[in-house]
């Protein structure tokens, strides 16, 4: 086969682009270990740094177990598994990151500690090295502010488990250079990830848009409309979600989910749309954290004590309608406030938290006028700002527009 000069050039460029990069991941916990695995699977040379030697050892042995399982299933060869492990240098010596093209920080969620680390990183790496954070709740602008060259900062927010969840929210700060965004988009694409571009705003896309899934479910329970099991039954059996809100909160951990809600609520200057729930606070205080403590909204040790759902279809439909309308309103607000575009908001929820459909597409299907009517009724009933329909929703209904047409 003869390649034309132009094709040869393209091939050369592609090869250069796919060149083995050095990726440094700092923090060998849940997220850092997963991100290091993804980079190593994509043939990069990975340096995984942690101050805690035990965590490094545990990260390595966990990866070995995961790889053994994948080899047994025939998904990768034994040689590929060996290569993946060989690609990762597990170390507690931060100086090993000197040759990195990209550093992804995944340490404890604390601005002061992250800033101290970022200053150190910048002293060690080259001028061209991109510095990324996997933070869930801190602003990328605040992380970049400590750098001499803040144009190289970016948020790369992976989802747990990073090797399995396709979504990565790509978050430029106000300081970030466009070329940094472009190369991160390309890299995530090369890693087979779904990268969505997102404004540096609290909760980014997923942790902002998903809030009513938990908050409205808790509110429905608190008003005595239905119990946990019935709400979960409605959302899975009628709504088509993979997991009900209470089962999911029990998975995430009530303490963790409550902390995220509080942080988003505070960051939005106490907008009542994001108000945390007393029920969740009490469950956390009681140590009913979910699966990890054996008991949350459901009992995982004495499962026979859990109530069966009241399979009342009319009630179920009303529950789904209410939570879904709130979710769609939140997705519309993300578009309205330019957090992300329509496609990326929908991709974020289907690829980051496995929603059965993109919320904006779902809104079109239900009919935006119907979504508006549900919200108007709630708003009228409660006179609470929490239920106010988004201006973009009102405008679209007025002009008979859809998100996808
Ligand atoms: P983790 O607690 O599992 O791991 C953190 C690791 O960082 C620990 O091994 C710790 O020894 C290490 N560490 C702490 N300070 C360090 C330092 N100065 N230098 C080097 N290593 C240090 O935490 P996890 O859950 O992996 O979270 C890490 C980051 O990812 C946080 O910013 C979190 O908000 C974010 N995130 C977490 C998600 C999750 O589901 N757990 C999802 C997406 C983002």
């Amino acid at each position: 086969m003869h390649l034309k000069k132009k094709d040869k050039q393209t091939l050369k460029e592609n090869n250069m682009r796919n060149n083995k990069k050095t990726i440094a991941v700092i923090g060998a916990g849940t997220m850092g270990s997963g991100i290091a695995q993804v980079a190593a699977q994509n043939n990069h040379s990975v340096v995984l740094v942690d101050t805690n030697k035990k965590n490094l050892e545990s990260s390595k042995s966990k990866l070995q177990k995961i790889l053994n399982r994948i080899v047994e299933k025939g998904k990768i060869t034994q040689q590929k598994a060996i290569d993946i492990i060989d690609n990762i240098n597990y170390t507690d010596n931060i100086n090993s990151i000197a040759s990195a093209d990209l550093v992804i920080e995944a340490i404890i969620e604390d601005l002061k500690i992250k800033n101290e680390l970022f200053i150190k990183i910048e002293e060690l790496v080259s001028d061209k090295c991109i510095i990324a954070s996997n933070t869930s709740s801190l602003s990328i602008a605040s992380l970049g502010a400590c750098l001499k060259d803040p144009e190289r900062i970016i948020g790369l927010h992976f989802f747990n488990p990073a090797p399995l969840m396709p979504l990565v929210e790509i978050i430029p700060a106000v300081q970030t250079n466009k070329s940094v965004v472009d190369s991160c988009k390309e890299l995530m694409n090369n890693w087979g990830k779904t990268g969505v571009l997102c404004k540096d705003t609290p909760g980014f896309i997923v942790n902002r848009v998903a809030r009513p899934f938990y908050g409205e479910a808790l509110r429905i329970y608190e008003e005595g409309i239905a119990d946990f099991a019935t709400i979960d039954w409605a959302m899975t059996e009628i709504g088509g979600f993979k997991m009900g809100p209470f089962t999911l909160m029990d998975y995430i951990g009530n303490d963790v989910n409550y902390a995220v809600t509080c942080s988003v609520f505070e960051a939005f200057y106490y907008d009542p749309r994001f108000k945390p729930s007393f029920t969740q606070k009490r469950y956390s205080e009681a140590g009913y954290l979910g699966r990890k403590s054996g008991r949350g909204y459901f009992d995982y040790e004495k499962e026979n004590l859990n109530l069966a759902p009241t399979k009342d279809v009319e009630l179920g439909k009303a529950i789904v309608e209410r939570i879904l309308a709130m979710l769609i309103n939140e997705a519309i607000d993300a578009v309205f406030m330019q957090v992300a575009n329509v496609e990326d908001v929908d991709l974020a929820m289907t690829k980051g938290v496995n929603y059965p459909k993109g919320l904006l597409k779902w809104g079109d299907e239900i009919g935006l006028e119907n979504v508006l009517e549900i919200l108007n009724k709630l708003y009228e009933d409660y006179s609470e700002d929490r239920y106010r329909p988004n201006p973009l929703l009102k405008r679209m209904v007025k002009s008979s527009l859809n998100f996808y047409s």
Side-chain angles (χ1 to χ4, degrees), residues 26-32 49-52 55 105-109 113-114 117 134-137 157-160:
I26 324 251
T30 312
M31 294 309 292
V49 186
D50 202 297
T51 40
N52 184 326
N55 290 5
E105 167 277 314
I107 67 162
I108 184 174
E109 190 75 337
I113 298 176
K114 285 197 200 266
L117 174 66
N134 185 50
T135 181
S136 309
S137 65
H157 188 222
F158 289 77
F159 288 73
N160 188 16

Side-chain angles (χ1 to χ4, degrees), residues 172 202 300 318:
Y300 297 93

Side-chain angles (χ1 to χ4, degrees), residues 120-136:
K120 181 80 191 155
I121 293 170
E122 199 175 32
E123 279 169 13
L124 295 168
V125 296
S126 79
D127 293 349
K128 290 204 177 73
C129 177
I130 295 174
I131 304 180
S133 174
N134 185 50
T135 181
S136 309

Side-chain angles (χ1 to χ4, degrees), residues 5 82 118 136 171-172 181 195 210 213 221 313 405:
K5 202 174 164 199
I82 294 169
F118 277 37
S136 309
I171 312 128
V181 182
F213 189 70
Y221 163 77
V313 175
S405 41

